[in-house]
Amino acid sequence: MNSDLISNIIVEELVEEEKGNVQEILIASYQQYEHSFSDPEFWKGYLEDIKTSLDNPYVDRILVAKQGSDILGTVQLYKTAEKAYKRMEVPIYDPFIRLLAVHPKARGRGIAIELLKACVNYAKEIEAKSIYLFTGNEMAKAIRLYEWFGFKRDFTREFVNNDNSPKCYRFDI
Protein backbone atom coordinates (compact mmCIF):
# COMPACT_ATOMS: atom_id res chain seq x y z
CA MET A 1 0.00 0.00 0.00
CA ASN A 2 1.42 3.35 -1.03
CA SER A 3 1.65 5.48 2.12
CA ASP A 4 1.11 8.62 0.01
CA LEU A 5 -2.42 7.43 -0.66
CA ILE A 6 -3.38 7.36 3.02
CA SER A 7 -1.04 9.97 4.47
CA ASN A 8 -3.63 12.71 4.33
CA ILE A 9 -6.62 10.61 5.44
CA ILE A 10 -7.92 11.39 8.91
CA VAL A 11 -10.48 9.37 10.83
CA GLU A 12 -12.70 11.14 13.32
CA GLU A 13 -16.16 10.93 14.83
CA LEU A 14 -19.18 11.93 12.80
CA VAL A 15 -20.73 15.31 13.58
CA GLU A 16 -24.43 16.00 13.05
CA GLU A 17 -23.88 18.21 9.99
CA GLU A 18 -22.17 15.32 8.17
CA LYS A 19 -25.04 12.82 8.47
CA GLY A 20 -26.50 13.56 5.02
CA ASN A 21 -23.13 13.05 3.31
CA VAL A 22 -22.50 9.84 5.23
CA GLN A 23 -25.95 8.49 4.34
CA GLU A 24 -25.17 9.14 0.66
CA ILE A 25 -21.85 7.27 1.00
CA LEU A 26 -23.58 4.32 2.66
CA ILE A 27 -26.17 4.09 -0.11
CA ALA A 28 -23.59 4.53 -2.91
CA SER A 29 -21.36 1.91 -1.34
CA TYR A 30 -24.01 -0.75 -0.69
CA GLN A 31 -26.18 -0.19 -3.79
CA GLN A 32 -23.92 -2.53 -5.77
CA TYR A 33 -25.26 -5.49 -3.77
CA GLU A 34 -28.94 -5.07 -4.70
CA HIS A 35 -28.73 -7.82 -7.33
CA SER A 36 -27.36 -10.24 -4.70
CA PHE A 37 -30.68 -10.41 -2.85
CA SER A 38 -33.28 -12.72 -4.38
CA ASP A 39 -36.10 -11.19 -2.32
CA PRO A 40 -36.74 -7.57 -3.35
CA GLU A 41 -38.57 -6.91 -0.08
CA PHE A 42 -35.59 -8.12 1.94
CA TRP A 43 -33.33 -5.76 -0.07
CA LYS A 44 -35.77 -2.89 0.46
CA GLY A 45 -35.72 -3.50 4.23
CA TYR A 46 -31.93 -3.80 4.23
CA LEU A 47 -31.53 -0.52 2.35
CA GLU A 48 -33.96 1.21 4.71
CA ASP A 49 -31.98 -0.14 7.67
CA ILE A 50 -28.81 1.30 6.14
CA LYS A 51 -30.48 4.68 5.62
CA THR A 52 -31.74 4.89 9.21
CA SER A 53 -28.63 3.38 10.83
CA LEU A 54 -27.11 6.79 11.57
CA ASP A 55 -29.91 7.44 14.04
CA ASN A 56 -29.62 4.12 15.86
CA PRO A 57 -29.62 5.10 19.56
CA TYR A 58 -27.40 2.11 20.37
CA VAL A 59 -24.49 3.04 18.12
CA ASP A 60 -21.49 3.88 20.27
CA ARG A 61 -19.47 5.70 17.59
CA ILE A 62 -19.74 6.52 13.93
CA LEU A 63 -16.39 7.25 12.38
CA VAL A 64 -15.70 9.04 9.11
CA ALA A 65 -12.58 8.99 6.98
CA LYS A 66 -11.80 12.36 5.46
CA GLN A 67 -9.40 13.86 3.02
CA GLY A 68 -9.57 17.56 3.72
CA SER A 69 -13.26 18.27 4.18
CA ASP A 70 -14.37 15.43 1.87
CA ILE A 71 -15.86 12.40 3.60
CA LEU A 72 -14.73 9.28 1.75
CA GLY A 73 -15.74 6.48 4.10
CA THR A 74 -17.50 5.55 7.30
CA VAL A 75 -17.96 2.78 9.84
CA GLN A 76 -20.23 2.22 12.82
CA LEU A 77 -19.11 0.77 16.14
CA TYR A 78 -21.26 -0.87 18.77
CA LYS A 79 -20.36 -2.19 22.20
CA THR A 80 -22.05 -5.52 21.35
CA ALA A 81 -23.73 -7.19 18.35
CA GLU A 82 -26.97 -7.11 20.29
CA LYS A 83 -26.82 -3.31 20.18
CA ALA A 84 -26.07 -3.33 16.44
CA TYR A 85 -29.12 -5.31 15.37
CA LYS A 86 -32.78 -5.24 16.33
CA ARG A 87 -32.71 -8.94 17.01
CA MET A 88 -29.71 -11.16 17.36
CA GLU A 89 -29.65 -14.90 16.73
CA VAL A 90 -26.16 -15.37 18.17
CA PRO A 91 -25.08 -13.27 21.14
CA ILE A 92 -21.77 -11.45 20.76
CA TYR A 93 -20.83 -9.36 23.77
CA ASP A 94 -17.68 -7.85 22.32
CA PRO A 95 -17.41 -4.69 20.21
CA PHE A 96 -19.03 -4.95 16.82
CA ILE A 97 -18.30 -3.29 13.47
CA ARG A 98 -21.20 -2.49 11.20
CA LEU A 99 -21.62 -0.81 7.81
CA LEU A 100 -18.04 -0.18 6.80
CA ALA A 101 -18.38 1.81 3.59
CA VAL A 102 -16.04 3.61 1.22
CA HIS A 103 -17.48 5.69 -1.59
CA PRO A 104 -16.99 3.79 -4.88
CA LYS A 105 -14.97 6.68 -6.36
CA ALA A 106 -12.58 6.66 -3.39
CA ARG A 107 -11.75 2.95 -3.29
CA GLY A 108 -8.20 1.67 -3.57
CA ARG A 109 -6.70 4.43 -1.42
CA GLY A 110 -6.43 2.53 1.88
CA ILE A 111 -9.46 4.21 3.45
CA ALA A 112 -11.04 0.95 4.64
CA ILE A 113 -7.73 -0.03 6.24
CA GLU A 114 -7.60 3.25 8.16
CA LEU A 115 -11.19 2.74 9.30
CA LEU A 116 -10.41 -0.82 10.44
CA LYS A 117 -7.35 0.43 12.36
CA ALA A 118 -9.60 2.93 14.11
CA CYS A 119 -12.03 0.11 14.97
CA VAL A 120 -9.25 -1.93 16.54
CA ASN A 121 -8.13 1.13 18.50
CA TYR A 122 -11.72 1.53 19.71
CA ALA A 123 -11.74 -2.09 20.92
CA LYS A 124 -8.44 -1.53 22.73
CA GLU A 125 -9.78 1.68 24.26
CA ILE A 126 -12.71 -0.15 25.83
CA GLU A 127 -10.38 -3.02 26.84
CA ALA A 128 -12.02 -5.66 24.67
CA LYS A 129 -10.36 -8.94 23.77
CA SER A 130 -11.91 -9.13 20.28
CA ILE A 131 -13.93 -7.16 17.77
CA TYR A 132 -16.46 -8.76 15.40
CA LEU A 133 -18.31 -8.11 12.16
CA PHE A 134 -20.72 -9.87 9.84
CA THR A 135 -20.43 -9.90 6.07
CA GLY A 136 -21.97 -11.83 3.20
CA ASN A 137 -20.74 -13.94 0.30
CA GLU A 138 -21.58 -11.13 -2.13
CA MET A 139 -18.98 -8.92 -0.45
CA ALA A 140 -15.97 -10.90 -1.71
CA LYS A 141 -13.60 -7.90 -1.89
CA ALA A 142 -14.49 -6.91 1.67
CA ILE A 143 -13.88 -10.48 2.85
CA ARG A 144 -10.42 -10.47 1.24
CA LEU A 145 -9.67 -7.17 2.99
CA TYR A 146 -10.84 -8.44 6.39
CA GLU A 147 -8.76 -11.61 6.05
CA TRP A 148 -5.71 -9.66 4.87
CA PHE A 149 -6.11 -7.31 7.84
CA GLY A 150 -6.13 -10.28 10.24
CA PHE A 151 -9.79 -11.09 10.87
CA LYS A 152 -10.51 -14.80 11.27
CA ARG A 153 -13.75 -16.56 10.45
CA ASP A 154 -15.75 -17.52 13.55
CA PHE A 155 -18.14 -20.27 12.48
CA THR A 156 -19.53 -20.59 16.02
CA ARG A 157 -21.26 -17.20 15.66
CA GLU A 158 -22.96 -17.75 12.31
CA PHE A 159 -26.68 -18.23 11.64
CA VAL A 160 -29.21 -18.30 8.80
CA ASN A 161 -31.38 -15.21 8.21
CA ASN A 162 -33.94 -15.70 5.39
CA ASP A 163 -31.93 -16.16 2.18
CA ASN A 164 -28.96 -14.43 3.77
CA SER A 165 -26.39 -16.35 5.81
CA PRO A 166 -23.95 -13.83 7.30
CA LYS A 167 -20.34 -14.83 7.78
CA CYS A 168 -18.87 -13.87 11.12
CA TYR A 169 -15.33 -12.55 11.44
CA ARG A 170 -13.36 -11.84 14.61
CA PHE A 171 -10.18 -9.86 15.17
CA ASP A 172 -8.40 -10.72 18.42
CA ILE A 173 -6.78 -7.80 20.18
Short mmCIF file of all heavy atoms in Angstrom, two decimals, residues 26-27 29-37 39-53 85-86 98-101 134-136 138-139 146 161-164 166:
data_model
loop_
_atom_site.label_atom_id
_atom_site.label_comp_id
_atom_site.label_asym_id
_atom_site.label_seq_id
_atom_site.Cartn_x
_atom_site.Cartn_y
_atom_site.Cartn_z
N LEU A 26 -23.07 5.66 2.34
CA LEU A 26 -23.58 4.32 2.66
C LEU A 26 -24.40 3.76 1.50
O LEU A 26 -24.21 2.62 1.07
CB LEU A 26 -24.42 4.35 3.94
CG LEU A 26 -23.64 4.47 5.24
CD1 LEU A 26 -24.57 4.86 6.38
CD2 LEU A 26 -22.92 3.17 5.56
N ILE A 27 -25.31 4.55 0.98
CA ILE A 27 -26.17 4.09 -0.11
C ILE A 27 -25.33 3.81 -1.36
O ILE A 27 -25.48 2.76 -2.00
CB ILE A 27 -27.28 5.11 -0.39
CG1 ILE A 27 -28.24 5.15 0.81
CG2 ILE A 27 -28.04 4.76 -1.67
CD1 ILE A 27 -29.18 6.34 0.81
N SER A 29 -22.24 3.04 -1.57
CA SER A 29 -21.36 1.91 -1.34
C SER A 29 -22.09 0.57 -1.37
O SER A 29 -21.60 -0.40 -1.93
CB SER A 29 -20.66 2.09 0.02
OG SER A 29 -19.79 1.04 0.25
N TYR A 30 -23.28 0.51 -0.79
CA TYR A 30 -24.01 -0.75 -0.69
C TYR A 30 -24.94 -1.02 -1.86
O TYR A 30 -25.37 -2.15 -2.06
CB TYR A 30 -24.77 -0.82 0.64
CG TYR A 30 -23.85 -1.18 1.78
CD1 TYR A 30 -23.14 -0.20 2.46
CD2 TYR A 30 -23.65 -2.51 2.14
CE1 TYR A 30 -22.27 -0.53 3.49
CE2 TYR A 30 -22.78 -2.85 3.17
CZ TYR A 30 -22.09 -1.85 3.83
OH TYR A 30 -21.22 -2.19 4.84
N GLN A 31 -25.25 -0.02 -2.67
CA GLN A 31 -26.18 -0.19 -3.79
C GLN A 31 -25.73 -1.29 -4.74
O GLN A 31 -26.56 -1.99 -5.33
CB GLN A 31 -26.30 1.14 -4.56
CG GLN A 31 -27.44 1.17 -5.53
CD GLN A 31 -28.81 1.14 -4.87
OE1 GLN A 31 -29.04 1.86 -3.92
NE2 GLN A 31 -29.69 0.28 -5.36
N GLN A 32 -24.45 -1.51 -4.86
CA GLN A 32 -23.92 -2.53 -5.77
C GLN A 32 -24.38 -3.94 -5.43
O GLN A 32 -24.28 -4.85 -6.25
CB GLN A 32 -22.39 -2.47 -5.78
CG GLN A 32 -21.78 -2.87 -4.45
CD GLN A 32 -20.28 -2.72 -4.43
OE1 GLN A 32 -19.62 -3.00 -5.41
NE2 GLN A 32 -19.75 -2.25 -3.31
N TYR A 33 -24.88 -4.14 -4.20
CA TYR A 33 -25.26 -5.49 -3.77
C TYR A 33 -26.74 -5.80 -3.99
O TYR A 33 -27.18 -6.90 -3.68
CB TYR A 33 -24.90 -5.69 -2.30
CG TYR A 33 -23.42 -5.52 -2.06
CD1 TYR A 33 -22.94 -4.48 -1.27
CD2 TYR A 33 -22.51 -6.40 -2.63
CE1 TYR A 33 -21.58 -4.31 -1.06
CE2 TYR A 33 -21.14 -6.24 -2.43
CZ TYR A 33 -20.69 -5.19 -1.64
OH TYR A 33 -19.35 -5.03 -1.44
N GLU A 34 -27.50 -4.86 -4.53
CA GLU A 34 -28.94 -5.07 -4.70
C GLU A 34 -29.24 -6.36 -5.45
O GLU A 34 -30.12 -7.13 -5.07
CB GLU A 34 -29.57 -3.88 -5.42
CG GLU A 34 -31.06 -4.05 -5.63
CD GLU A 34 -31.71 -2.84 -6.26
OE1 GLU A 34 -31.00 -1.90 -6.68
OE2 GLU A 34 -32.94 -2.83 -6.35
N HIS A 35 -28.49 -6.62 -6.52
CA HIS A 35 -28.73 -7.82 -7.33
C HIS A 35 -28.44 -9.12 -6.58
O HIS A 35 -28.86 -10.19 -7.00
CB HIS A 35 -27.88 -7.76 -8.61
CG HIS A 35 -26.41 -7.93 -8.33
ND1 HIS A 35 -25.61 -6.90 -7.90
CD2 HIS A 35 -25.63 -9.03 -8.39
CE1 HIS A 35 -24.38 -7.36 -7.71
NE2 HIS A 35 -24.36 -8.65 -8.01
N SER A 36 -27.74 -9.05 -5.46
CA SER A 36 -27.36 -10.24 -4.70
C SER A 36 -28.51 -10.79 -3.86
O SER A 36 -28.43 -11.91 -3.36
CB SER A 36 -26.20 -9.93 -3.77
OG SER A 36 -25.10 -9.47 -4.51
N PHE A 37 -29.56 -10.00 -3.69
CA PHE A 37 -30.68 -10.41 -2.85
C PHE A 37 -31.82 -10.90 -3.74
O PHE A 37 -32.32 -10.16 -4.58
CB PHE A 37 -31.14 -9.24 -1.98
CG PHE A 37 -30.14 -8.84 -0.95
CD1 PHE A 37 -29.14 -7.92 -1.24
CD2 PHE A 37 -30.18 -9.39 0.33
CE1 PHE A 37 -28.20 -7.56 -0.28
CE2 PHE A 37 -29.24 -9.03 1.28
CZ PHE A 37 -28.25 -8.12 0.99
N ASP A 39 -34.82 -11.72 -2.78
CA ASP A 39 -36.10 -11.19 -2.32
C ASP A 39 -36.05 -9.67 -2.33
O ASP A 39 -35.36 -9.06 -1.51
CB ASP A 39 -36.38 -11.71 -0.91
CG ASP A 39 -37.68 -11.20 -0.33
OD1 ASP A 39 -38.38 -10.40 -0.99
OD2 ASP A 39 -38.01 -11.61 0.80
N PRO A 40 -36.77 -9.04 -3.26
CA PRO A 40 -36.74 -7.57 -3.35
C PRO A 40 -37.20 -6.88 -2.06
O PRO A 40 -36.71 -5.81 -1.72
CB PRO A 40 -37.70 -7.24 -4.50
CG PRO A 40 -37.87 -8.51 -5.25
CD PRO A 40 -37.60 -9.62 -4.30
N GLU A 41 -38.10 -7.50 -1.34
CA GLU A 41 -38.57 -6.91 -0.08
C GLU A 41 -37.47 -6.95 0.99
O GLU A 41 -37.34 -6.03 1.78
CB GLU A 41 -39.84 -7.61 0.42
CG GLU A 41 -41.07 -7.27 -0.39
CD GLU A 41 -41.34 -5.76 -0.47
OE1 GLU A 41 -41.38 -5.09 0.58
OE2 GLU A 41 -41.50 -5.26 -1.61
N PHE A 42 -36.70 -8.03 0.99
CA PHE A 42 -35.59 -8.12 1.94
C PHE A 42 -34.58 -7.01 1.63
O PHE A 42 -34.08 -6.33 2.52
CB PHE A 42 -34.92 -9.50 1.88
CG PHE A 42 -33.87 -9.69 2.93
CD1 PHE A 42 -34.21 -10.09 4.21
CD2 PHE A 42 -32.52 -9.48 2.64
CE1 PHE A 42 -33.24 -10.26 5.19
CE2 PHE A 42 -31.55 -9.64 3.61
CZ PHE A 42 -31.91 -10.03 4.89
N TRP A 43 -34.26 -6.82 0.33
CA TRP A 43 -33.33 -5.76 -0.07
C TRP A 43 -33.88 -4.39 0.34
O TRP A 43 -33.14 -3.57 0.87
CB TRP A 43 -33.07 -5.79 -1.57
CG TRP A 43 -32.38 -4.54 -2.02
CD1 TRP A 43 -32.92 -3.52 -2.75
CD2 TRP A 43 -31.05 -4.13 -1.72
NE1 TRP A 43 -32.01 -2.51 -2.92
CE2 TRP A 43 -30.84 -2.86 -2.28
CE3 TRP A 43 -30.00 -4.71 -1.01
CZ2 TRP A 43 -29.65 -2.17 -2.19
CZ3 TRP A 43 -28.80 -4.02 -0.91
CH2 TRP A 43 -28.62 -2.77 -1.49
N LYS A 44 -35.15 -4.17 0.10
CA LYS A 44 -35.77 -2.89 0.46
C LYS A 44 -35.63 -2.62 1.95
O LYS A 44 -35.28 -1.52 2.37
CB LYS A 44 -37.24 -2.91 0.04
CG LYS A 44 -37.97 -1.61 0.22
CD LYS A 44 -39.41 -1.74 -0.28
CE LYS A 44 -40.20 -0.50 0.03
NZ LYS A 44 -41.61 -0.63 -0.35
N GLY A 45 -35.88 -3.63 2.77
CA GLY A 45 -35.72 -3.50 4.23
C GLY A 45 -34.27 -3.26 4.62
O GLY A 45 -33.98 -2.46 5.52
N TYR A 46 -33.35 -3.96 3.96
CA TYR A 46 -31.93 -3.80 4.23
C TYR A 46 -31.47 -2.38 3.91
O TYR A 46 -30.78 -1.75 4.69
CB TYR A 46 -31.15 -4.83 3.41
CG TYR A 46 -29.65 -4.85 3.63
CD1 TYR A 46 -29.11 -5.16 4.87
CD2 TYR A 46 -28.78 -4.59 2.58
CE1 TYR A 46 -27.74 -5.20 5.06
CE2 TYR A 46 -27.40 -4.64 2.76
CZ TYR A 46 -26.89 -4.94 4.01
OH TYR A 46 -25.52 -4.97 4.19
N LEU A 47 -31.90 -1.88 2.75
CA LEU A 47 -31.53 -0.52 2.35
C LEU A 47 -32.12 0.51 3.32
O LEU A 47 -31.44 1.47 3.70
CB LEU A 47 -31.98 -0.25 0.92
CG LEU A 47 -31.46 1.03 0.29
CD1 LEU A 47 -29.94 1.06 0.25
CD2 LEU A 47 -32.03 1.18 -1.13
N GLU A 48 -33.34 0.29 3.75
CA GLU A 48 -33.96 1.21 4.71
C GLU A 48 -33.20 1.17 6.04
O GLU A 48 -32.99 2.21 6.67
CB GLU A 48 -35.44 0.85 4.92
CG GLU A 48 -36.20 1.85 5.74
CD GLU A 48 -36.19 3.27 5.17
OE1 GLU A 48 -36.13 3.44 3.94
OE2 GLU A 48 -36.24 4.21 5.98
N ASP A 49 -32.78 -0.01 6.45
CA ASP A 49 -31.98 -0.14 7.67
C ASP A 49 -30.67 0.63 7.54
O ASP A 49 -30.24 1.29 8.49
CB ASP A 49 -31.71 -1.63 7.95
CG ASP A 49 -30.97 -1.86 9.24
OD1 ASP A 49 -31.37 -1.27 10.28
OD2 ASP A 49 -29.98 -2.62 9.22
N ILE A 50 -30.05 0.55 6.39
CA ILE A 50 -28.81 1.30 6.14
C ILE A 50 -29.08 2.79 6.24
O ILE A 50 -28.33 3.53 6.90
CB ILE A 50 -28.21 0.93 4.77
CG1 ILE A 50 -27.65 -0.50 4.80
CG2 ILE A 50 -27.13 1.93 4.35
CD1 ILE A 50 -27.24 -1.04 3.44
N LYS A 51 -30.15 3.26 5.61
CA LYS A 51 -30.48 4.68 5.62
C LYS A 51 -30.73 5.22 7.02
O LYS A 51 -30.35 6.34 7.34
CB LYS A 51 -31.72 4.94 4.75
CG LYS A 51 -31.48 4.78 3.28
CD LYS A 51 -32.78 4.99 2.51
CE LYS A 51 -32.60 4.77 1.04
NZ LYS A 51 -33.87 4.92 0.30
N THR A 52 -31.38 4.42 7.86
CA THR A 52 -31.74 4.89 9.21
C THR A 52 -30.68 4.56 10.26
O THR A 52 -30.82 4.96 11.41
CB THR A 52 -33.09 4.31 9.65
OG1 THR A 52 -33.00 2.88 9.67
CG2 THR A 52 -34.21 4.75 8.71
N SER A 53 -29.64 3.84 9.87
CA SER A 53 -28.63 3.38 10.83
C SER A 53 -27.93 4.52 11.57
O SER A 53 -27.47 4.34 12.71
CB SER A 53 -27.60 2.49 10.15
OG SER A 53 -26.82 3.26 9.24
N TYR A 85 -27.99 -4.76 16.12
CA TYR A 85 -29.12 -5.31 15.37
C TYR A 85 -30.36 -5.34 16.24
O TYR A 85 -30.27 -5.52 17.46
CB TYR A 85 -28.80 -6.73 14.90
CG TYR A 85 -27.67 -6.74 13.90
CD1 TYR A 85 -26.35 -6.97 14.30
CD2 TYR A 85 -27.91 -6.51 12.55
CE1 TYR A 85 -25.31 -6.96 13.38
CE2 TYR A 85 -26.87 -6.51 11.62
CZ TYR A 85 -25.58 -6.73 12.05
OH TYR A 85 -24.56 -6.72 11.14
N LYS A 86 -31.52 -5.23 15.59
CA LYS A 86 -32.78 -5.24 16.33
C LYS A 86 -33.00 -6.56 17.04
O LYS A 86 -33.49 -6.61 18.15
CB LYS A 86 -33.94 -4.93 15.39
CG LYS A 86 -33.90 -3.51 14.89
CD LYS A 86 -35.05 -3.23 13.94
CE LYS A 86 -34.93 -1.82 13.42
NZ LYS A 86 -34.49 -1.75 12.04
N ARG A 98 -20.06 -2.39 12.13
CA ARG A 98 -21.20 -2.49 11.20
C ARG A 98 -21.10 -1.41 10.14
O ARG A 98 -20.66 -0.29 10.41
CB ARG A 98 -22.50 -2.33 11.99
CG ARG A 98 -23.72 -2.56 11.13
CD ARG A 98 -24.90 -3.09 11.91
NE ARG A 98 -25.90 -3.47 10.93
CZ ARG A 98 -26.99 -2.78 10.67
NH1 ARG A 98 -27.28 -1.70 11.37
NH2 ARG A 98 -27.82 -3.16 9.73
N LEU A 99 -21.50 -1.75 8.93
CA LEU A 99 -21.62 -0.81 7.81
C LEU A 99 -20.34 -0.04 7.52
O LEU A 99 -20.33 1.18 7.44
CB LEU A 99 -22.81 0.13 8.05
CG LEU A 99 -24.17 -0.57 8.08
CD1 LEU A 99 -25.27 0.40 8.50
CD2 LEU A 99 -24.49 -1.22 6.74
N LEU A 100 -19.28 -0.78 7.32
CA LEU A 100 -18.04 -0.18 6.80
C LEU A 100 -18.30 0.15 5.34
O LEU A 100 -18.72 -0.72 4.57
CB LEU A 100 -16.88 -1.17 6.93
CG LEU A 100 -15.56 -0.75 6.30
CD1 LEU A 100 -14.98 0.46 7.04
CD2 LEU A 100 -14.57 -1.90 6.33
N ALA A 101 -18.08 1.39 4.96
CA ALA A 101 -18.38 1.81 3.59
C ALA A 101 -17.35 2.82 3.12
O ALA A 101 -16.97 3.73 3.86
CB ALA A 101 -19.77 2.44 3.54
N PHE A 134 -20.07 -8.93 10.74
CA PHE A 134 -20.72 -9.87 9.84
C PHE A 134 -20.55 -9.35 8.42
O PHE A 134 -20.53 -8.13 8.20
CB PHE A 134 -22.22 -10.00 10.12
CG PHE A 134 -22.57 -10.77 11.35
CD1 PHE A 134 -23.46 -10.25 12.26
CD2 PHE A 134 -22.03 -12.01 11.59
CE1 PHE A 134 -23.81 -10.96 13.39
CE2 PHE A 134 -22.36 -12.73 12.72
CZ PHE A 134 -23.26 -12.21 13.63
N THR A 135 -20.46 -10.26 7.48
CA THR A 135 -20.43 -9.90 6.07
C THR A 135 -21.10 -11.03 5.29
O THR A 135 -21.42 -12.07 5.87
CB THR A 135 -18.98 -9.64 5.59
OG1 THR A 135 -19.02 -9.05 4.30
CG2 THR A 135 -18.13 -10.89 5.59
N GLY A 136 -21.31 -10.82 4.01
CA GLY A 136 -21.97 -11.83 3.20
C GLY A 136 -21.11 -12.27 2.04
O GLY A 136 -20.14 -11.59 1.67
N GLU A 138 -21.61 -12.10 -1.03
CA GLU A 138 -21.58 -11.13 -2.13
C GLU A 138 -20.51 -10.06 -1.94
O GLU A 138 -20.14 -9.37 -2.87
CB GLU A 138 -22.96 -10.49 -2.32
CG GLU A 138 -23.43 -9.64 -1.17
CD GLU A 138 -24.06 -10.43 -0.01
OE1 GLU A 138 -24.23 -11.65 -0.12
OE2 GLU A 138 -24.36 -9.80 1.01
N MET A 139 -19.98 -9.94 -0.77
CA MET A 139 -18.98 -8.92 -0.45
C MET A 139 -17.57 -9.51 -0.47
O MET A 139 -16.79 -9.37 0.46
CB MET A 139 -19.32 -8.27 0.89
CG MET A 139 -20.66 -7.59 0.86
SD MET A 139 -21.13 -6.90 2.44
CE MET A 139 -22.78 -6.34 2.07
N TYR A 146 -10.77 -8.06 4.98
CA TYR A 146 -10.84 -8.44 6.39
C TYR A 146 -9.81 -9.53 6.70
O TYR A 146 -9.11 -9.46 7.71
CB TYR A 146 -12.24 -8.93 6.77
CG TYR A 146 -13.34 -7.92 6.55
CD1 TYR A 146 -14.58 -8.31 6.08
CD2 TYR A 146 -13.13 -6.56 6.80
CE1 TYR A 146 -15.60 -7.39 5.88
CE2 TYR A 146 -14.15 -5.63 6.61
CZ TYR A 146 -15.37 -6.06 6.14
OH TYR A 146 -16.38 -5.15 5.94
N ASN A 161 -30.39 -16.29 8.11
CA ASN A 161 -31.38 -15.21 8.21
C ASN A 161 -32.04 -15.07 6.85
O ASN A 161 -31.49 -14.45 5.96
CB ASN A 161 -30.67 -13.92 8.63
CG ASN A 161 -31.61 -12.77 8.80
OD1 ASN A 161 -32.82 -12.95 8.81
ND2 ASN A 161 -31.06 -11.57 8.90
N ASN A 162 -33.23 -15.68 6.69
CA ASN A 162 -33.94 -15.70 5.39
C ASN A 162 -33.02 -16.30 4.34
O ASN A 162 -32.47 -17.37 4.54
CB ASN A 162 -34.43 -14.30 5.01
CG ASN A 162 -35.45 -13.79 5.99
OD1 ASN A 162 -36.18 -14.56 6.59
ND2 ASN A 162 -35.51 -12.48 6.15
N ASP A 163 -32.83 -15.62 3.21
CA ASP A 163 -31.93 -16.16 2.18
C ASP A 163 -30.51 -15.64 2.35
O ASP A 163 -29.65 -15.82 1.51
CB ASP A 163 -32.45 -15.84 0.77
CG ASP A 163 -32.45 -14.35 0.45
OD1 ASP A 163 -32.24 -13.54 1.36
OD2 ASP A 163 -32.67 -14.01 -0.73
N ASN A 164 -30.26 -15.04 3.48
CA ASN A 164 -28.96 -14.43 3.77
C ASN A 164 -28.31 -15.18 4.94
O ASN A 164 -28.94 -15.34 5.98
CB ASN A 164 -29.18 -12.95 4.12
CG ASN A 164 -27.90 -12.22 4.36
OD1 ASN A 164 -26.85 -12.61 3.90
ND2 ASN A 164 -28.00 -11.13 5.09
N PRO A 166 -25.13 -14.66 7.03
CA PRO A 166 -23.95 -13.83 7.30
C PRO A 166 -22.76 -14.66 7.76
O PRO A 166 -22.91 -15.64 8.50
CB PRO A 166 -24.40 -12.89 8.41
CG PRO A 166 -25.88 -13.01 8.47
CD PRO A 166 -26.25 -14.33 7.90
#
